[in-house]
Amino acid sequence: MTGPVVSVRDVHKGFRLYHERNVSLKSILLRGKRSSFEVYEALKGVSFEVEPGQTFGLLGGNGSGKSTMLKCIAGILVPDAGSITTRGRVASLLELGSGFHPELSGRDNVYLNASILGLSRKETAARFDDIVDFSGIREFIDSPVKNYSSGMYVRLGFSVAIHILPDLFLVDEVLAVGDEQFQRRCAEKFGDLQREGTTIVLVTHSMAQVRDLCDGALWLDKGTPRAIGDAATVVSAYLDEQDRLEASHEVVAAARVTLRDGAGRDATDVPSGSEITAHVEADLVQPRERVRVKLELLDGRGVPILDGRSDVPVSDGRVTTEVRVPALPLRAGEYVVRASIEAEGQHRPVSASTHFLVGGGGSPSALLATSLDFRA
């Protein structure tokens, strides 16, 4: 086969979003106007090609247009503008078990589903044993599928679809079905299809799958193409953008914690029973009046010994506080002081930690009555 298997040229697709809807002729006559709506553009000028034997990934966040694009390629949806051409037999794995009839047995549904996907009865009979063995539910194959567990249902649906042996295979978020053993078989079968030269277009939220399985990729953002090319390069660009967006919503940019002993010197090695003070600082990128500071003392295995928290005021975009532990009757060993800063709207706490050594021999249990003294 020469030339691209999939050719997408400047495709646009929109959906009507109704604010109020006429449900009958009577309502149209009484209201005297048609239902009002706005058009949501799911795809905006998308173009790409997939060459024979290539595995091509469509990636992006929820609502980016990935599944809409795949349904347009499958012929389920018709673009409003632009063109899509495909070559050879097409099999779509967009929704596992679509076409199954709950009252029919697994055996009957294999034939039914295979016919929907384009196989003749003779072709299905030749592949029936392979389909059933791959699904791993041979003992239940003559039971109605309405009695199947959800795992059995999707395993049979996946097994039927993956044995169609198409020229073009369209896959939407279904490579992680069933238990671990079945997922391994799916990955092996997927690899077989690739080695046999099957052209695959894959939609997934797993960047690892795109990087490991795909030759090329297209990143869609709210229906608009953002990047297209080598899969690893597109994935890196996408992940960098997600990190940037996540950081833009954060409140606390960075935190620091340092230790000093009772004499005000940097504390890295202190005797048991001595006093230490933790100096906690944090920089804010969004204005807040106060933040919550949590301080923890942990032993060398990471087991918490003592903790406390307090609301601390923010001054000129910076948090500065001292937390004093009156005494440290600790056994000799390595310990960790960890500070966490939480703010309203923060995606997750920002933490910083520092290690110190204790000499001598105390008892951690004595700390249970010790309180942390927070000072702004």
Side-chain angles (χ1 to χ4, degrees), residues 268-273 328 330-335 356-361:
T268 56
D269 192 346
V270 298
S272 180
L328 285 171
L330 297 171
R331 297 188 182 96
E334 183 177 12
Y335 293 85
F356 68 99
L357 296 174
V358 171

Side-chain angles (χ1 to χ4, degrees), residues 122-196:
K122 183 177 179 180
E123 289 174 314
T124 304
R127 301 174 194 178
F128 181 81
D129 286 338
D130 290 338
I131 291 172
V132 176
D133 290 340
F134 188 88
S135 70
I137 59 169
R138 180 171 288 277
E139 59 186 308
F140 306 104
I141 196 63
D142 290 309
S143 299
V145 297
K146 68 179 181 181
N147 297 328
Y148 286 8
S149 67
S150 57
M152 293 165 62
Y153 195 88
V154 297
R155 282 160 61 183
L156 186 59
F158 188 94
S159 186
V160 172
I162 210 167
H163 283 85
I164 297 302
L165 305 180
D167 299 302
L168 172 61
F169 196 26
L170 308 177
V171 188
D172 189 358
E173 291 289 1
V174 292
L175 291 182
V177 299
D179 55 26
E180 185 176 349
Q181 183 181 13
F182 184 74
Q183 286 182 31
R184 284 202 198 100
R185 294 207 299 272
C186 290
E188 292 171 0
K189 186 65 176 178
F190 201 79
D192 290 341
L193 291 175
Q194 290 179 304
R195 286 186 289 273
E196 291 165 3

Side-chain angles (χ1 to χ4, degrees), residues 315-338:
S315 177
D316 296 327
R318 171 170 284 193
V319 176
T320 304
T321 186
E322 291 186 348
V323 187
R324 187 173 65 87
V325 181
L328 285 171
L330 297 171
R331 297 188 182 96
E334 183 177 12
Y335 293 85
V336 178
V337 170
R338 181 168 64 201

Side-chain angles (χ1 to χ4, degrees), residues 284-333:
L284 273 65
V285 293
Q286 295 187 33
R288 293 291 187 276
E289 292 184 359
R290 306 182 73 83
V291 297
R292 173 65 58 90
V293 176
K294 176 182 179 182
L295 196 82
E296 298 175 282
L297 176 64
L298 307 99
D299 66 16
R301 297 170 299 170
V303 177
I305 298 171
L306 181 68
D307 67 64
R309 66 198 70 204
S310 178
D311 289 334
V312 176
V314 177
S315 177
D316 296 327
R318 171 170 284 193
V319 176
T320 304
T321 186
E322 291 186 348
V323 187
R324 187 173 65 87
V325 181
L328 285 171
L330 297 171
R331 297 188 182 96

